[in-house]
Amino acid sequence: MTVYGQKGQKVMAIDLTGTAKALEYARKCQDAQGW
């Protein structure tokens, strides 16, 4: 994900590789705990 400022300048870039997998594991963990 790349964030740009109002003037179009690049502010930051964040690598989101693996984010979906991490959320999947978190959901499974919460389900196992009855949340």
Side-chain angles (χ1 to χ4, degrees):
M1 173 177 71
T2 304
V3 178
Y4 294 94
Q6 289 181 338
K7 297 178 182 177
Q9 76 279 19
K10 186 175 178 180
V11 176
M12 72 176 92
I14 303 169
D15 183 2
L16 296 177
T17 303
T19 302
K21 197 63 156 174
L23 288 172
E24 178 184 332
Y25 286 134
R27 285 188 199 104
K28 286 180 182 180
C29 181
Q30 289 178 345
D31 287 344
Q33 294 179 37
W35 289 13

